[in-house]
């Protein structure tokens, strides 16, 4: 019997009672499970034990969402310490129920690898209960992240009973869920959340995690509008077709961005300070690396979207090539990490036609015309109009998902930046309340990375598609860079030709997970 089973039998022997002799509602019962199995894409059957509908707080406000499911593979990984994948399905900052695992995403893959999976539900912008005949919105910020932190605490609290190591929790989510994952990674044990978690009756345990996997995190919400306009402003009169009022808002927002960039004090891998003046070169480096790796993997990229290439004219496939924009930082072939295709990711390919013929051993990407590339991104999926996030009441009345999640318990959406309040057509004198400032602060992982009071995850896997326009490239780049500057183990990449999506290229993700366990 291993130490976990021994501890489990001692606790069960005590009848899962708490100190006062009452049944403990947060105590996990290892014997209360059903069984199930997944058929993986290759036909393999992955059998598991399912523990479903477990409440993770004592003071349940919303029984639809404040539950979690745990799946334990029949064949546990043959390693000393088995990790737990905590996958949130939060999207659009809405509520999310505890789901069952899927053969085609990271949950199924984790079970196949012999890892334990936890899928918590959480309240969100649209979750409601009826109290005294009144509809109450239960999931406005920061309640969603509080629920997910309570789920982490539940895993720790029951460490001796739940298979897998609660010291090896990997959080995973996409988009708003990617933002939640980044918050779980950045805000471990941060005192700001403590009074709320106590009030909810969360388990008395730590809530820091080992690793955060964040696909296209829609985060840094109080700077996301300026970051969007600073980057995409170059398309305003072109592919974006903005009207005069929109251009004016776009320009004003963009003008606020340089001081924000400079305030971050970020450094590149060589230790050079990144400022608003050199930021675009920094961004180009990531895009060039992405394009280069795609070419190495056999994908074709036309030079019409802003990239230029060095094509060895002496080689067997050589020929004069290379569009405008030469002079960017070149990347020698072989720097890209080679990976097999056919691993669940959408194959990055453009039609042949005008694509240069690329020789993997001698050719490389020399540069990128950023404005041209951004216009290309905007031509694939129309950009958001300014302000992209805190939009309600500025030029249009419609609330964004972010306005909704910062709303109140009556379901009224709210602005969350000084800028948008100042530009409201109805009441430009409205001010950001102290309470709203605090809620916005608690929803931004950037505030906790170099914050001594929070325990930041040591390991980070961050992806944002190279043609994902749901937020500015600055958002994931700043997050990854700030973490790297804080000494964290960060695996960051902008996968080529990838739109807003998550849990792709699972071979890549799971080999990274394995690497962090060594
Ligand atoms: C999501 C996408 C968005 O563009 C956004 O602003 C918020 C959330 C999402 O897919 O979760």
């Amino acid at each position: 019997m291993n130490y976990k089973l021994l501890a489990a039998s001692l606790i069960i022997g005590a009848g899962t009672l708490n100190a006062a002799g009452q049944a403990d509602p947060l105590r996990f019962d290892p014997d209360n499970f059903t069984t199930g199995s997944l058929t993986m894409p290759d036909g393999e059957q992955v059998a598991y034990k399912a523990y479903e509908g477990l409440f993770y707080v004592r003071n349940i406000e919303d029984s639809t969402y404040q539950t979690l499911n745990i799946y334990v593979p029949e064949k546990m990984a043959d390693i000393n310490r088995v990790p737990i994948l905590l996958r949130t399905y939060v999207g659009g900052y809405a509520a999310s129920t505890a789901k069952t695992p899927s053969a085609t995403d990271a949950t199924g893959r984790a079970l196949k690898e012999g890892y334990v999976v936890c899928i918590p539900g959480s309240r969100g912008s649209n979750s409601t209960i009826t109290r005294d005949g009144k509809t109450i919105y239960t999931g406005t910020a920061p309640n969603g992240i509080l629920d997910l932190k309570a789920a982490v605490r539940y895993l720790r609290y029951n460490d001796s009973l739940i298979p897998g190591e609660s010291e090896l929790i990997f959080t995973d989510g996409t988009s708003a869920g990617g933002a939640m994952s980044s918050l779980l990674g950045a805000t471990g044990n941060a005192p700001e959340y403590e009074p709320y978690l106590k009030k909810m009756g969360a388990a008395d345990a730590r809530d820091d995690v080992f690793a955060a996997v964040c696909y296209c995190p829609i985060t840094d919400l109080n700077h996301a509008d300026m970051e969007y306009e600073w980057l995409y402003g170059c398309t305003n009169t072109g592919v974006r077709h903005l009207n005069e009022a929109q251009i004016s808002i776009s320009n004003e927002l963009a003008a606020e961005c340089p001081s924000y960039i400079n305030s971050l004090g970020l450094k590149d891998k060589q230790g050079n300070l990144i400022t608003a003046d050199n930021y675009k070169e920094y961004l180009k480096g990531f895009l060039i690396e992405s394009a280069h790796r795609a070419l190495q993997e056999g994908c074709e990229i036309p030079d019409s979207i802003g990239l230029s290439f060095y094509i060895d004219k002496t080689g067997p496939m050589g020929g004069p090539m290379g569009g405008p924009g030469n002079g960017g930082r070149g990347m020698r072939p072989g720097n890209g990490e080679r990976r097999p295709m056919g691993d669940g990711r959408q194959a990055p390919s453009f039609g042949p036609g005008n694509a240069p013929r690329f020789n993997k051993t001698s050719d490389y990407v020399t540069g990128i015309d950023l404005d041209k590339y951004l216009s290309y991104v905007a031509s694939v999926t129309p950009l958001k109009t300014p302000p992209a996030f805190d939009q309600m009441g500025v030029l249009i009345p419609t609330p964004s998902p972010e306005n909704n999640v910062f709303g109140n318990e009556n379901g009224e959406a709210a602005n969350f930046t000084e800028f948008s309040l100042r530009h409201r057509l109805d009441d430009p004198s409205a001010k950001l309340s102290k309470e709203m400032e605090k809620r916005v602060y608690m929803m931004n992982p950037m505030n906790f990375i170099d914050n001594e009071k929070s325990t930041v995850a040591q390991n980070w896997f961050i992806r944002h598609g190279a043609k994902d326009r749901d937020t500015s490239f600055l958002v994931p780049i700043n997050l990854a860079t700030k973490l790297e500057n804080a000494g964290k183990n960060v695996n960051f990449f902008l996968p080529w030709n990838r739109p807003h999506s998550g849990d792709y290229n699972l071979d890549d993700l799971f080999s990274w997970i394995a690497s962090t366990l060594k």
Side-chain angles (χ1 to χ4, degrees):
M1 177 179 276
N2 68 23
Y3 80 93
K4 274 207 147 190
L5 289 178
L6 178 65
S9 64
L10 290 176
I11 291 173
I12 292 160
T16 65
L17 300 181
N18 66 13
Q22 299 145 336
D24 181 350
L26 293 188
R27 198 47 87 185
F28 177 81
D29 178 359
D31 295 327
N32 191 9
F33 60 87
T34 57
T35 56
S37 76
L38 284 176
T39 305
M40 300 304 287
D42 64 0
E44 185 187 338
Q45 291 291 312
V46 175
Y48 56 76
K49 286 181 184 168
Y51 302 84
E52 295 176 322
L54 312 175
F55 292 110
Y56 53 70
V57 286
R58 292 197 169 90
N59 308 323
I60 302 153
E61 181 180 47
D62 200 324
S63 58
T64 311
Y65 298 107
Q66 292 180 299
T67 75
L68 57 77
N69 298 341
I70 292 175
Y71 300 92
V72 179
E74 205 153 83
K75 269 197 237 140
M76 291 275 280
D78 188 16
I79 48 179
N80 272 340
R81 302 173 73 216
V82 174
I84 302 174
L85 180 81
L86 186 151
R87 170 68 150 96
T88 168
Y89 286 94
V90 167
Y93 282 104
S96 171
T97 53
K99 305 270 186 307
T100 57
S102 157
T104 54
D105 71 15
T107 56
R109 177 61 179 265
L111 289 171
K112 177 185 149 88
E113 298 289 334
Y115 301 164
V116 174
V117 169
C118 171
I119 309 178
S122 52
R123 296 168 295 170
S125 58
N126 58 343
S127 54
T128 57
I129 55 166
T130 309
R131 193 186 291 149
D132 304 329
K134 223 180 122 204
T135 300
I136 307 280
Y137 281 75
T138 60
T140 55
N143 291 358
I145 186 62
L146 293 173
D147 283 351
L148 296 172
K149 288 171 85 68
V152 171
R153 290 183 173 207
Y154 179 95
L155 295 177
R156 272 246 171 61
Y157 182 69
N158 289 294
D159 178 69
S160 61
L161 297 165
I162 301 172
E165 296 289 329
S166 65
E167 290 303 321
L168 295 178
I169 295 173
F170 288 74
T171 63
D172 173 28
T174 298
S175 194
M180 291 301 187
S181 183
S182 70
L183 279 165
L184 286 170
T187 66
N189 313 321
E192 284 82 350
Y193 304 85
E194 189 59 39
Y196 302 90
L197 286 160
K198 224 177 208 136
K199 198 165 163 215
M200 290 159 63
D204 188 10
R206 283 162 39 222
D207 58 48
D208 57 296
V209 298
F210 181 72
V213 176
C214 314
Y215 287 96
C216 48
I218 301 288
T219 194
D220 199 8
L221 297 175
N222 47 322
H223 302 108
D225 289 330
M226 61 178 81
E227 295 177 295
Y228 205 80
E229 299 313 316
W230 186 77
L231 187 69
Y232 284 112
C234 61
T235 68
N236 284 353
T237 53
V239 61
R240 203 177 183 190
H241 297 299
L242 294 192
N243 63 32
E244 230 171 83
Q246 291 170 323
I247 289 174
S248 162
I249 291 288
S250 172
N251 290 343
E252 268 194 69
L253 277 165
E256 295 198 355
C257 194
S259 68
Y260 174 58
I261 293 175
N262 295 338
S263 77
L264 291 171
L266 300 175
K267 297 207 166 128
D268 69 10
K269 282 199 163 64
Q270 288 74 43
N272 304 309
L273 190 65
I274 300 160
T275 66
D277 290 338
N278 61 23
Y279 197 103
K280 285 185 179 159
E281 289 307 310
Y282 186 56
L283 163 60
K284 282 178 178 182
F286 290 105
L287 292 168
I288 289 171
E289 184 193 358
S290 171
H292 186 81
R293 206 188 282 183
L295 290 167
Q296 290 281 310
E297 288 169 347
C299 125
E300 292 180 339
I301 302 175
D303 57 356
S304 59
I305 66 171
L307 288 153
S308 50
F309 312 94
Y310 170 77
I311 302 288
D312 183 1
K313 294 178 198 154
T314 62
M317 312 210 294
M321 259 304 165
N326 276 308
R329 108 162 101 124
M331 288 240 340
R332 296 301 312 180
N335 287 347
E337 178 191 317
R338 296 285 310 278
R339 294 165 311 169
M341 301 282 281
D343 49 8
R345 132 187 74 131
Q346 174 197 346
S349 77
F350 289 93
N354 59 349
R357 287 166 302 163
F358 189 82
N359 182 332
K360 285 188 216 174
T361 54
S362 61
D363 304 344
Y364 54 97
V365 182
T366 54
I368 182 165
D369 177 336
L370 192 58
D371 289 3
K372 200 166 174 181
Y373 181 73
L374 294 170
S375 291
Y376 156 73
V377 172
S379 75
V380 180
T381 313
L383 296 178
K384 298 178 178 186
T385 53
F389 296 89
D390 193 3
Q391 68 177 32
M392 181 180 70
V394 179
L395 294 172
I396 49 172
T398 334
S400 65
E402 292 77 14
N403 291 133
N404 286 326
V405 82
F406 283 113
N408 63 22
E409 68 170 26
N410 301 323
E412 292 155 347
N415 292 104
F416 52 93
T417 62
E418 286 284 2
F419 182 94
S420 290
L421 280 173
R422 222 170 44 235
H423 288 79
R424 276 195 73 104
L425 297 175
D426 52 353
D427 182 11
S429 69
K431 288 265 174 303
L432 209 58
S433 69
K434 283 274 170 262
E435 187 222 351
M436 181 63 83
E437 263 176 34
K438 186 170 175 198
R439 292 169 70 197
V440 172
Y441 184 88
M442 289 174 72
M443 290 298 283
N444 193 337
M446 298 291 280
N447 296 324
F448 296 87
I449 293 168
D450 49 16
N451 180 327
E452 276 172 18
K453 291 197 179 134
S454 75
T455 312
V456 182
Q458 184 56 33
N459 301 289
W460 292 77
F461 186 93
I462 304 172
R463 292 290 181 271
H464 180 102
K467 66 173 183 188
D468 181 345
R469 60 30 122 196
D470 274 52
T471 193
S472 169
F473 292 119
L474 277 68
V475 170
I477 290 178
N478 292 344
L479 176 66
T481 307
K482 188 160 183 169
L483 287 161
E484 221 162 59
N485 290 176
K488 304 300 172 190
N489 170 33
V490 184
N491 185 311
F492 174 57
F493 193 59
L494 303 175
W496 187 251
N497 200 30
R498 166 64 57 184
H500 193 62
S501 48
D503 270 22
Y504 45 80
N505 202 353
L506 294 174
D507 284 348
D508 209 21
L509 172 61
F510 280 82
S511 68
W512 177 80
I513 289 177
S515 79
T516 64
L517 298 174
K518 285 194 181 117

